[in-house]
Amino acid sequence: MPFGPPLLLSSLNPLADAGGADIPDAVTIDGTTLSRSDLLGAATSVAERVARAERVAVLAEPTVETVLAVVGCLIAGVTVVPVPPDSGTAERAHILADSGAQAWLGKAPEGAGLPVVPVRRHARSWHTYPEPDPAATAFVLYTSGTTGLPKGVLLSRGAIAAGLDALAEAWAWTASDTLVHGLPLFHVHGLILGVLGPLRVGSPLIHTGKPTPQAYAAAKGSLYFGVPTVWSRVVEDPDSAKQLADARLLVSGSAPLPVPVFERLRELTGHAPVERYGMSETMITLSTRADGERRPGWVGTPVRGVRTRLRDESGAPVPHDGESIGGLQVSGPMLFDGYLNRPEETAQTWTADGWFRTGDVAAIDEEGFHRIVGRESVDLIKSGGYRVGAGEVETVLLGHPAVAEAAVVGLPDDDLGQRITAFVVLRGAATERELIDHVAAELSVHKRPREIRVVDALPRNAMGKVQKKKLS
C-alpha cells in the first residue's frame, strides 16, 4: 500500500493537490468542513508562525483550530504537546514545565503563563518545507499519571508513520473509507489514530464532538472508533445501533470491551467489533483484522512489524496455551523513544535484550491470539497461592444480566495475601452470593470473588478507563 514519506502525511502532499486529488470533505469537526487543500493551506500558515519553535502546547479541544495547530507543527517539524482541556491548574502547570513548551498554539486557558500564537482558520500559505527527520519527536503525550505525576511519552514521526501504516494494513483502511468518532484529541486513540490516521490514508474524517449514539448514526461513515463506554451506550439505543449496519468496521479500544456489549453490537449491527490493544508508549501493537477472526474478549494478533512474548516474575517464558498468564513484552517500529526527562524510568521499562515491558498481563493461545488480563500493578491478584487475572473475573461478572459494570481488585488479606473483591454497578436485582456463585460456576472456584461491593458508579478517567487505585 503506497504511503507518503513519514510524517508529511500522504494526504497532505501538495503535489497530490496540484494533480487534482483534493478531498472536499477531508475533515469535518466543530461544525466546519475543510477540504484537503484548505487544510493544507491553513496548516502551512500555522507552520510559518511556529517554524522557529521547538515545542508548543496545544489545548486539545475538538475544534478546527486544534487540527490546524497539530498539522501545522507536523509540516514545520515542531513538537506538539497536547494538553487535556479539562486538566486542572496543577496538572497543566506540570505538563508545561516538564515539556518545556515555549508557547500556546491556538486557544489558551486563562492565566496561560506563556505567549499565545494564534491559529487562523482562514489564513493560507503555500510555502513548502523539507520533510523532517523520521527520528524527530512529533509529540510529547502525557500519560494518565495513575502512579504519580503524568509522564511525557516521546513519539517520533517515524514511529507514528509505522503504527498508522500497520493499522491501515490490518483494517484494510483506504481512502474509500469515512472515519467517524467523537473521542478526545489528546491521546493516541482520538488524536493520532483518529486524526492523523485518516489524513495519512486519505479518508475523510467526521468528528462528532461528543460520541453519542445519535451522532454516530447520523454520520453515515464506514469506519467507527469508540471506547467501551461509547459502544455500551450505542447498544442501549437500538435504533441508532441498527443504523450502523452499513458501516464496514466498528473498532473498540482503550479499555476491554465487555463480552455482552460485543455480542449485542453484533446482534444489532451485524458487525462483530474489531478489538485492538495499545498504549501511549507503543501505539497499537495488537488487533483483530478486517479479514480475520474476531473473538469476544480477545484483542487479536500482532500488527505488521510487532513481536510479543510473555514472561513470569522470574523472567522465564510463559507457555502460549491460552490459559497461562504472564507479563506482556513487545517490540516493533512504532514504540516510543522514552519518557521525557526520566532516563531511569525509561531504562526500567526495557529488558536487557530490547523488549518493552508493557506492565500488562496477558495470555496467548497456540494461534497467536492475545487476551489482556489487566495491569500487573492492579490486575494481577495473588490470592491463596494462585495468580488470578482481574480481567477474566470481570468478564464473567459482566455476563450476568444484573451487572452493568464491574471492576475486580485484590485487597490486602491476612490469610490469603490478597482478597478478590468485586465492585459492581447493578442494573437489576442480584445477591452477593448469586454473583459469587456465578463466577465460581464459570471459572475455577479459586477465582471467585470473596466479596461483592455494590456501588453507584466506577471511577473513570477521560478515556473511560476504570481508576482502580481509587477502589478500596
Side-chain angles (χ1 to χ4, degrees), residues 370-413:
H370 292 60
R371 176 168 55 90
I372 306 299
V373 173
R375 297 295 293 170
E376 284 182 289
S377 57
V378 294
D379 293 321
L380 179 57
I381 302 171
K382 299 175 184 178
S383 182
Y386 293 99
R387 301 164 78 245
V388 178
E392 58 185 341
V393 182
E394 291 163 356
T395 296
V396 172
L397 283 169
L398 289 167
H400 191 285
V403 177
E405 300 179 53
V408 173
V409 298
L411 298 182
D413 187 279

Side-chain angles (χ1 to χ4, degrees), residues 209-239:
K210 293 184 178 179
T212 66
Q214 298 79 12
Y216 273 34
K220 305 298 182 184
S222 63
L223 177 61
Y224 285 80
F225 289 174
V227 297
T229 302
V230 171
W231 297 121
S232 295
R233 291 171 181 169
V234 166
V235 300
E236 291 171 359
D237 184 346
D239 290 340

